[in-house]
Amino acid sequence: MTEHRVLNFGAGPAALPESVLKQAQQELLNFQDTGMSIMELSHRSKVFMKVVNDAKRDLIDLMEIPDNYEVIFMQGGATTGFSAVVYNLLAAKKRTDPHGKAPVDYFITGGWSSKAAAEAKRLGANVNVVVDTKKSTGAYTSVPPPEEWTGHLSGSDAAYVYYCDNETVHGVEFPYIPEVDPSVPLVADMSSNFLSRKVDVSKFGVIYGGAQKNVGPAGVTIVIVRKDLLTDLTSYQDTPSGAFVIPQMLDYKTLVDNNSLYNTPPMFSIYIVGLVLQHLKSLGGLEAIEAMNKRKSDKIYGIIAKSALYKCLVQEGSRSRMNIVFRLDSEEREKAFLKGAEERNMVQLNGHRSVGGIRVSLYNAVTEEAVETLAAYMMDFEKDTTQ
Amino acid sequence: MTEHRVLNFGAGPAALPESVLKQAQQELLNFQDTGMSIMELSHRSKVFMKVVNDAKRDLIDLMEIPDNYEVIFMQGGATTGFSAVVYNLLAAKKRTDPHGKAPVDYFITGGWSSKAAAEAKRLGANVNVVVDTKKSTGAYTSVPPPEEWTGHLSGSDAAYVYYCDNETVHGVEFPYIPEVDPSVPLVADMSSNFLSRKVDVSKFGVIYGGAQKNVGPAGVTIVIVRKDLLTDLTSYQDTPSGAFVIPQMLDYKTLVDNNSLYNTPPMFSIYIVGLVLQHLKSLGGLEAIEAMNKRKSDKIYGIIAKSALYKCLVQEGSRSRMNIVFRLDSEEREKAFLKGAEERNMVQLNGHRSVGGIRVSLYNAVTEEAVETLAAYMMDFEKDTTQ
């Protein structure tokens, strides 16, 4: 049966590889001849444990994660993810900083890092803003080089340095990995560019990301954490603001000690992540995927560069390969653009509700053929509307 | 195509209605003619919002939830669920108890309520144990009547009273709803008997449950909370132990204010829950389901009552209709029982790893036919082994 399928440029939850969906469909009532759906299996069954362990192994292979790191599958999305960072890394720092007043350094380059910094502050951390581009430049449209940071890194005093590698809403992606004091853990939210290119994991204390962009469905968050940062928080009762009480399920060490099976994990989401990881391996791994993603974004940015109609406000050099945001000359024209796209089977191209405009998300599962179709439409649309 | 399917008596994740799985399978690549999987849709799309709103409405209908309650879909399982109770209800209490020393009353009648009480203590709450049956009777095998409680309720001083309505591991179910001071919110973990019988929701402050027993797959937790208990915790900084810092995603009010869409929710799990709720409605609602569940558990307990081989250590009157735990006269015989069951297509009948033995879980999706098959096997097995 051939299904009706569209070209999905959504920002997340986003397109999944069709082969993955087909496999999930095929085995939905009978997973690996167990006579049960993957959703009906005990999370402590050997069959499911293998799903978790295979997914971990494939992620380690793909990202070349060194031995001194652990991989965790959590719940709660990036929002829970950035709360967990605060708790776990302040606790790790307190081993050498018993008064818990250590600063935490935040780069604010878009909506997500802005939220993360606000959460850290709310949870009582001593937040130091390295740069807030909305304040320094008027908009989240760049990642400035070190000489344009309005603040500074706290050096070895910091409990950690935090940034969001790709800002999904604003279409801004870090062109560099910030250089930090070697004693300070660097933390990156990679929710929307996870597994889209090669990353030197050894430079990080923590990398985390919600799965629902490049790696799977909503409901699971992947955390890669350096082992020396794992701290026993079971009875931790001390924080910058007086009491450090952390819900059990946000404690990295509890999750690591239980191989992400402290309680029932989001099994179906982890299973789909596992299938996506196998698919990415079959495509040739991250080197091939990085090259493909570059071709895809070059294609669309190339059209914008030559266009009099499409304007990308993000500075060159900071433009995201994953989320390309641009405006047309009026909201009416933007509506016409989106309508025409839908008529041509291309959907979820609207910008985030907070910013408007057009957003083209080019995650791993968006094919080059889909990008060609969009590119042709963009050129046709400009020709037709400006004649 | 007829799939190989087994009779699944697992304790959770557990059997799902086959019709639900088939519908999910059929529309996995193309949900409601969107040309996308439900997993590929934006959580802010109209199509998905309708999924959430329909699921809420169906739950309200089935449980006859009064207007002064809200329904939340959360992540994190029952463990995150009982952490969230502590944060949210202590905050609600502090409106009238600014020093935050109010006791919280816990019934400990099995593994889950024991864990919940430990978490409350760890999070700094002033835990008062009403009864701990392991301490008072030597084992988690009963829910004693009020005259046998070794402690007492704290009356109107309490921030809340907590119990676990059905203990999945120990097979103990409350035969009554504890009577509490009308000013004190009663909280019940109903993870493993959710929607298995009629419940007078108006008696509760909070009811919550992980979906993966009676209502859906792992990855989503349903919370029903009385509106007057919703407290703005956004900048809450005060707790029994000095500082009340709550991760944003555990804050009921944030979730309610955003219709469970503060961030990307576990969409596929919510979707399956929605299908299960429709299925339960089609069966005739909770009255019909309660009667069916009673027939199922009566059947198995009836066999145990007449048996010289099967011993249920849980006291009559406190026995769970959902999880029937029993022992045979030796571990070898238990192994033979499980092996024979598997040969007859009946699986996931092993007791929890912490207690051993046999556990028959009879959630809503376990059919009466499956129970008849198991019942016949239990009788045959006893006859064969004791001849």
Side-chain angles (χ1 to χ4, degrees):
Chain A
M1 185 177 59
T2 309
E3 294 276 6
H4 161 55
R5 295 274 296 163
V6 295
L7 304 179
N8 183 358
F9 295 97
L16 287 165
E18 197 162 303
S19 61
V20 165
L21 291 173
K22 283 188 168 153
Q23 182 173 344
Q25 181 176 49
Q26 198 251 316
E27 61 196 17
L28 199 73
L29 272 84
N30 181 11
F31 182 67
Q32 294 184 357
D33 208 32
T34 55
M36 292 178 268
S37 173
I38 180 91
M39 292 181 267
E40 300 178 301
L41 282 172
S42 167
H43 55 299
R44 308 214 182 269
S45 62
K46 278 185 195 151
V47 180
F48 184 71
M49 301 262 241
K50 186 168 181 320
V51 170
V52 171
N53 290 331
D54 286 355
K56 277 174 65 170
R57 191 208 54 222
D58 287 339
L59 185 69
I60 290 165
D61 286 355
L62 275 164
M63 294 184 74
E64 297 172 43
I65 300 173
D67 284 346
N68 60 325
Y69 287 78
E70 295 279 0
V71 171
I72 305 171
F73 298 109
M74 278 183 73
Q75 295 186 63
T79 304
T80 302
F82 59 59
S83 302
V85 163
V86 182
Y87 285 115
N88 285 278
L89 294 201
L90 282 182
K93 178 68 172 177
K94 287 203 71 181
R95 285 180 254 163
T96 55
D97 170 58
H99 302 297
K101 295 288 175 209
V104 295
D105 293 343
Y106 277 76
F107 288 86
I108 302 180
T109 56
W112 280 100
S113 49
S114 166
K115 277 183 154 186
E119 177 75 351
K121 209 166 172 184
R122 205 177 62 82
L123 294 181
N126 174 15
V127 174
N128 169 53
V129 176
V130 181
V131 66
D132 179 335
T133 57
K134 194 166 189 177
K135 288 192 181 147
S136 65
T137 73
Y140 293 133
T141 51
S142 65
V143 177
E147 56 273 20
E148 292 173 24
W149 297 348
T150 47
H152 57 86
L153 291 169
S154 306
S156 60
D157 288 345
Y160 61 89
V161 175
Y162 183 101
Y163 74 108
C164 176
D165 200 31
N166 184 70
E167 288 280 359
T168 324
V169 174
H170 294 91
V172 174
E173 189 169 15
F174 264 72
Y176 57 82
I177 296 178
E179 267 194 49
V180 301
D181 187 283
S183 69
V184 176
L186 180 62
V187 179
D189 170 2
M190 295 195 184
S191 292
S192 52
N193 64 355
F194 205 73
L195 289 170
S196 72
R197 61 178 172 188
K198 282 178 85 81
V199 171
D200 182 354
V201 175
S202 74
K203 290 195 184 305
F204 294 87
V206 177
I207 293 173
Y208 78 91
Q212 70 271 16
K213 317 283 185 182
N214 272 308
V215 212
V220 61
T221 305
I222 300 170
V223 181
I224 302 164
V225 55
R226 215 173 58 213
K227 286 180 184 171
D228 63 288
L229 297 170
L230 296 170
T231 312
D232 191 344
L233 299 178
T234 314
S235 55
Y236 218 90
Q237 294 275 354
D238 214 12
T239 66
S241 46
F244 203 100
V245 284
I246 175 173
Q248 191 80 63
M249 291 308 296
L250 266 62
D251 174 3
Y252 292 159
K253 190 166 187 304
T254 295
L255 294 162
V256 164
D257 288 349
N258 292 278
N259 195 26
S260 299
L261 295 162
Y262 177 75
N263 73 349
T264 317
M267 295 167 66
F268 189 79
S269 297
I270 293 173
Y271 154 68
I272 298 287
V273 165
L275 294 183
V276 172
L277 294 172
Q278 287 168 26
H279 172 74
L280 296 179
K281 275 179 121 173
S282 77
L283 293 182
L286 292 192
E287 209 157 323
I289 288 160
E290 179 166 355
M292 181 189 72
N293 285 331
K294 186 166 183 326
R295 287 194 299 274
K296 282 153 52 181
S297 58
D298 281 353
K299 184 91 202 173
I300 302 299
Y301 282 123
I303 289 170
I304 293 171
K306 283 186 238 141
S307 162
L309 180 64
Y310 307 117
K311 306 267 180 241
C312 174
L313 300 174
V314 179
Q315 280 184 20
E316 283 188 50
S318 306
R319 290 180 173 177
S320 169
R321 300 156 307 125
M322 295 287 107
N323 312 100
I324 301 184
V325 295
F326 59 88
R327 304 299 308 240
L328 277 64
D329 53 357
S330 72
E331 286 191 18
E332 288 63 43
R333 193 101 71 189
E334 287 170 351
K335 272 186 200 154
F337 179 87
L338 291 171
K339 188 164 170 286
E342 284 211 17
E343 285 163 10
R344 284 158 187 80
N345 218 28
M346 291 177 283
V347 303
Q348 305 207 122
L349 279 161
N350 51 300
H352 188 266
R353 67 213 150 100
S354 67
V355 294
I358 313 296
R359 175 169 50 173
V360 177
S361 294
L362 299 177
Y363 300 128
N364 292 340
V366 175
T367 62
E368 295 195 68
E369 292 70 26
V371 176
E372 290 296 338
T373 306
L374 176 64
Y377 169 60
M378 286 176 71
M379 289 187 287
D380 287 350
F381 183 86
E382 178 161 8
K383 210 186 294 166
D384 292 350
T385 46
T386 54
Q387 259 170 358
Chain B
M1 184 177 57
T2 310
E3 293 277 6
H4 161 53
R5 295 274 295 163
V6 295
L7 304 179
N8 183 359
F9 295 97
L16 287 165
E18 197 162 302
S19 61
V20 165
L21 291 172
K22 283 188 169 154
Q23 182 173 343
Q25 180 177 48
Q26 197 251 316
E27 62 197 17
L28 199 73
L29 273 84
N30 180 11
F31 181 68
Q32 294 184 358
D33 207 32
T34 55
M36 292 177 269
S37 174
I38 180 91
M39 291 181 268
E40 300 178 300
L41 283 172
S42 168
H43 55 298
R44 308 214 181 269
S45 62
K46 278 186 194 149
V47 180
F48 184 71
M49 301 261 240
K50 187 168 180 321
V51 171
V52 171
N53 290 330
D54 287 355
K56 277 174 65 170
R57 192 208 53 222
D58 287 338
L59 185 68
I60 290 166
D61 287 354
L62 275 165
M63 294 184 73
E64 297 172 44
I65 299 173
D67 284 347
N68 59 326
Y69 287 78
E70 296 278 2
V71 171
I72 305 170
F73 298 109
M74 278 183 72
Q75 294 186 63
T79 304
T80 302
F82 58 60
S83 302
V85 162
V86 182
Y87 285 115
N88 285 279
L89 293 201
L90 282 182
K93 179 69 173 178
K94 288 203 70 180
R95 285 179 256 164
T96 55
D97 170 58
H99 302 298
K101 295 289 174 208
V104 295
D105 293 343
Y106 278 76
F107 288 84
I108 303 180
T109 56
W112 280 100
S113 49
S114 166
K115 277 182 154 187
E119 177 75 351
K121 210 166 170 184
R122 204 177 63 82
L123 294 181
N126 173 15
V127 174
N128 167 54
V129 175
V130 181
V131 66
D132 180 335
T133 56
K134 194 167 191 179
K135 287 192 181 147
S136 65
T137 73
Y140 293 133
T141 51
S142 66
V143 177
E147 57 273 21
E148 292 173 23
W149 298 347
T150 48
H152 56 85
L153 291 168
S154 307
S156 60
D157 288 345
Y160 61 90
V161 176
Y162 183 102
Y163 74 109
C164 176
D165 200 30
N166 185 69
E167 288 281 359
T168 324
V169 175
H170 294 92
V172 174
E173 188 169 16
F174 265 71
Y176 57 82
I177 297 178
E179 267 194 50
V180 301
D181 187 284
S183 70
V184 176
L186 181 62
V187 178
D189 171 2
M190 294 195 184
S191 292
S192 51
N193 65 356
F194 205 75
L195 290 169
S196 71
R197 61 179 172 188
K198 283 178 84 82
V199 171
D200 181 355
V201 174
S202 73
K203 290 196 183 305
F204 294 86
V206 177
I207 293 173
Y208 78 90
Q212 70 272 16
K213 317 284 185 182
N214 271 308
V215 212
V220 60
T221 306
I222 299 170
V223 181
I224 301 164
V225 54
R226 215 173 58 213
K227 285 181 184 171
D228 64 287
L229 297 170
L230 296 171
T231 312
D232 192 345
L233 299 178
T234 314
S235 54
Y236 217 90
Q237 293 276 353
D238 214 9
T239 65
S241 46
F244 203 100
V245 285
I246 175 172
Q248 191 80 62
M249 291 308 296
L250 266 62
D251 174 3
Y252 292 159
K253 190 166 187 304
T254 295
L255 294 162
V256 165
D257 288 350
N258 291 278
N259 194 26
S260 299
L261 295 162
Y262 176 75
N263 72 350
T264 316
M267 296 168 65
F268 189 79
S269 297
I270 293 174
Y271 154 69
I272 298 287
V273 165
L275 295 182
V276 172
L277 294 171
Q278 287 168 27
H279 173 75
L280 296 179
K281 275 179 121 173
S282 77
L283 293 182
L286 291 192
E287 210 157 323
I289 288 159
E290 179 166 355
M292 181 190 72
N293 284 332
K294 186 165 182 329
R295 287 194 298 276
K296 282 153 52 182
S297 58
D298 280 355
K299 184 90 201 174
I300 302 299
Y301 282 123
I303 288 170
I304 294 171
K306 283 186 238 143
S307 163
L309 179 64
Y310 307 117
K311 305 267 179 238
C312 174
L313 299 174
V314 179
Q315 280 184 21
E316 284 189 47
S318 306
R319 290 180 173 177
S320 169
R321 299 156 308 123
M322 294 288 107
N323 313 99
I324 302 184
V325 294
F326 59 88
R327 303 301 308 240
L328 277 64
D329 53 356
S330 71
E331 287 191 18
E332 288 63 43
R333 193 99 71 188
E334 288 169 350
K335 273 186 200 154
F337 179 87
L338 291 170
K339 188 165 170 284
E342 283 211 16
E343 285 163 9
R344 284 157 187 80
N345 217 29
M346 291 177 284
V347 303
Q348 304 207 125
L349 279 161
N350 50 301
H352 188 266
R353 66 212 150 101
S354 66
V355 294
I358 312 296
R359 174 169 50 171
V360 178
S361 294
L362 299 176
Y363 300 129
N364 293 340
V366 176
T367 62
E368 295 195 69
E369 292 71 26
V371 175
E372 289 296 338
T373 306
L374 175 63
Y377 169 61
M378 285 176 71
M379 288 188 286
D380 287 351
F381 183 85
E382 178 161 8
K383 211 186 294 167
D384 291 350
T385 45
T386 53
Q387 260 171 358

